[in-house]
Amino acid sequence: MTENAAQGAPGPDQLVFPGVEARLAAEAKAWLREQAGVRRASPLTIGAYARDLRQFLTFLRDQRAAPPDLEALAALKPADIRGFLASRRAGGVASRSLLRQLAALRSFARHLAREGLARVDALDKVRSPKAARVLPKALPAAAAREMARGEADESHRAPWILARDAAVLALLYGAGLRISEALSIRRGDAPVGAIESLTIVGKGGKARAVPVIRPARKAIEAYLELCPHRLASNGPLFVGARGGPLSPRIVQLTVERLRGALGLPDSATPHALRHSFATHLLSRGGDLRSIQELLGHASLSTTQIYTAVDKSRLFEAFRAAHPRAR
């Protein structure tokens, strides 16, 4: 995929549900708008929800040999739900993906119930599949630094694009940001010069202050010096080849090239850089509560699991940070 070919995720009203009764398709879009507006789900999450629902409705259509409608959903039996999950598992879908898909379907069912359109009780009578918690592996500190610098990318791309990608990766490892968070930064909020921190709005609309280390700030300054596009103060800091918002897929492709050049495993993903940020901080004596705030986690238990490092160090940090640990 070239950079010009990469596109952002479509909005809720652009998503389609072929082979579905019109009223049901309209409610599916209304649910997605609710997730985007009220729940503040990201465009990528909205796309995943739409895909999950579309697959389920396609399964029902094939089973019934007729377009699914609200009445068909209300008449579902637990066996129908289990049959769908079994078909997905037979197609090689892992338990974690099935859990997400079932959660999306239950969310849609709650929307239908709130609107007084249908009650899909069968979804609540099916046990959720169990999935082991698999975390991205932290990179060794030297490998994380090499990847964050982006200097191993030997592709024949414009110097400003190489500088841009290095700046994005520097934020993932140096500030523990998610891709979506890094790409949401506005030019006017760029941490350059005397600006040493960012206010990031993460999952659930929760805002947090994030300090930005000097190497990351210098990487952003280098990108801004080379960027050929005029960046509006209220526009995105990171832009694509044509000056539009940078696609997350471009960041993923950059990391794929870098891990090939550096000889790193497939587990070296953009999210692994965020994981490495937390793990390296904790292993070097970082306070668990502070790391929780930097990552934007709602609970300390999430951070405890996320930063899976040496158990003795983790327990020591947990005892020091948790108000009920003593």
Side-chain angles (χ1 to χ4, degrees):
M1 178 189 291
T2 64
E3 181 152 336
N4 288 334
Q7 309 222 350
D13 288 323
Q14 297 173 290
L15 297 165
V16 296
F17 295 87
V20 175
E21 186 264 338
R23 187 171 54 152
L24 178 56
E27 283 307 317
K29 290 186 177 183
W31 168 63
L32 293 173
R33 286 195 298 271
E34 177 184 276
Q35 298 303 306
V38 179
R39 306 292 181 183
R40 304 187 71 170
S42 72
L44 292 177
T45 299
I46 294 300
Y49 284 170
R51 186 167 55 252
D52 291 338
L53 180 56
R54 190 184 301 120
Q55 289 169 348
F56 179 64
L57 295 177
T58 299
F59 172 82
L60 289 186
R61 183 195 64 195
D62 294 343
Q63 292 292 106
R64 290 164 41 88
D69 53 21
L70 292 170
E71 289 72 20
L73 291 185
L76 286 173
K77 305 296 182 186
D80 298 318
I81 309 299
R82 286 193 285 268
F84 169 69
L85 295 176
S87 71
R88 298 287 292 147
R89 193 180 289 281
V93 177
S95 293
R96 181 169 294 276
S97 295
L98 293 179
L99 275 170
R100 187 204 66 218
Q101 191 153 35
L102 192 55
L105 296 178
R106 285 170 172 162
S107 175
F108 180 54
R110 289 193 295 271
H111 166 81
L112 295 178
R114 282 195 303 270
E115 297 297 318
L117 297 171
R119 291 189 59 85
V120 192
D121 295 329
L123 284 165
D124 293 325
K125 297 177 181 178
V126 174
R127 181 178 299 176
S128 299
K130 292 183 178 180
R133 228 177 248 247
V134 179
L135 297 169
K137 295 181 180 178
L139 301 172
R145 286 195 296 269
E146 284 294 317
M147 180 172 282
R149 280 197 287 265
E151 296 174 355
D153 191 342
E154 299 176 352
S155 59
H156 300 291
R157 298 187 298 157
W160 81 267
I161 288 182
L162 294 175
R164 178 205 64 196
D165 293 347
V168 173
L169 298 181
L171 285 171
L172 301 189
Y173 179 54
L177 301 188
R178 303 175 177 92
I179 292 181
S180 60
E181 293 171 344
L183 300 190
S184 72
I185 300 171
R186 298 294 171 184
R187 169 62 184 91
D189 300 323
V192 294
I195 303 175
E196 299 181 350
S197 66
L198 287 165
T199 297
I200 295 295
V201 179
K203 288 186 176 181
K206 182 180 179 181
R208 69 185 191 275
V210 179
V212 181
I213 58 177
R214 181 169 175 76
R217 299 200 307 273
K218 289 183 70 66
I220 294 171
E221 290 169 356
Y223 154 63
L224 289 174
E225 287 178 5
L226 295 173
C227 182
H229 298 289
R230 181 179 178 277
L231 304 180
S233 178
N234 63 346
L237 170 61
F238 298 112
V239 296
R242 295 180 178 178
L246 180 61
S247 166
R249 182 57 184 151
I250 295 302
V251 181
Q252 294 167 347
L253 290 171
T254 295
V255 170
E256 288 177 14
R257 284 192 294 269
L258 283 169
R259 72 176 178 233
L262 294 171
L264 298 174
D266 290 346
S267 59
T269 63
H271 195 70
L273 286 173
R274 171 174 157 90
H275 183 64
S276 300
F277 162 83
T279 303
H280 295 164
L281 278 181
L282 186 59
S283 65
R284 297 187 181 213
D287 171 70
L288 194 64
R289 181 72 70 183
S290 298
I291 295 172
Q292 174 197 351
E293 294 176 356
L294 291 174
L295 293 173
H297 287 162
S299 68
L300 189 65
S301 60
T302 304
T303 311
Q304 177 191 358
I305 296 169
Y306 190 93
T307 54
V309 295
D310 175 67
K311 285 187 178 180
S312 62
R313 175 70 192 92
L314 183 58
F315 291 152
E316 178 186 341
F318 185 83
R319 284 194 297 270
H322 199 288
R324 298 293 296 278
R326 297 181 180 181

